[in-house]
Amino acid sequence: MNRILLYISLVGGVVLTLFALAHSTGWSAQFAGPVQASGLASDVVAGLQVGWYFGSFCMAGFGLVACGLARRGIQEKGVDRVSAGLIGATLVVFGLWAMVFREFNPFFFVFIVPGAMIAAMAFVRPAGR
């Protein structure tokens, strides 16, 4: 059972990392034109853009850390269950909050599903138990 949870978490980490790459292209693909055309001050637009890219970097960081944690577990070197649980819970809670905040928009499953997959690593039993 432990190995299954670790592989599920590894896939969740890979998926989150790929979503981060897609997220980073979203600013220029979807928002740059409309935000520029909205007439907002350039410093406000720059602040929004910095926040957008910060989110992309955080998603990539979470995904890569989750991959590393799962890899260590698969190699039977131990799993930091607290870190995995915190990453997974952060993504799930954010996704649920955003879904409710945005009138139950199912888009936010892109945070909930990989978060739940990563959180599965928190349930891996330590060796010898």
Side-chain angles (χ1 to χ4, degrees):
M1 184 61 168
N2 278 351
R3 273 193 138 14
I4 293 170
L5 293 176
L6 291 167
Y7 280 109
I8 288 170
S9 295
L10 179 63
V11 170
V14 169
V15 166
L16 184 62
T17 304
L18 293 174
F19 284 169
L21 295 173
H23 188 269
S24 69
T25 63
W27 180 264
S28 58
Q30 294 183 342
F31 299 111
V35 169
Q36 297 279 347
S38 69
L40 290 171
S42 62
D43 60 335
V44 173
V45 172
L48 289 171
Q49 188 175 14
V50 166
W52 183 271
Y53 286 119
F54 178 70
S56 299
F57 274 97
C58 289
M59 288 170 64
F62 277 174
L64 292 172
V65 168
C67 288
L69 292 172
R71 184 172 162 259
R72 281 186 54 82
I74 291 167
Q75 294 174 342
E76 298 181 4
K77 294 181 181 177
V79 175
D80 183 352
R81 298 171 1 166
V82 173
S83 296
L86 285 172
I87 291 170
T90 299
L91 291 163
V92 169
V93 169
F94 171 76
L96 291 171
W97 170 82
M99 184 180 284
V100 170
F101 184 74
R102 297 293 298 159
E103 299 173 359
F104 297 96
N105 184 338
F107 167 78
F108 294 102
F109 278 112
V110 301
F111 297 100
I112 296 168
V113 172
M117 293 171 78
I118 293 167
M121 205 176 341
F123 297 99
V124 170
R125 289 187 197 179
R129 288 191 189 181

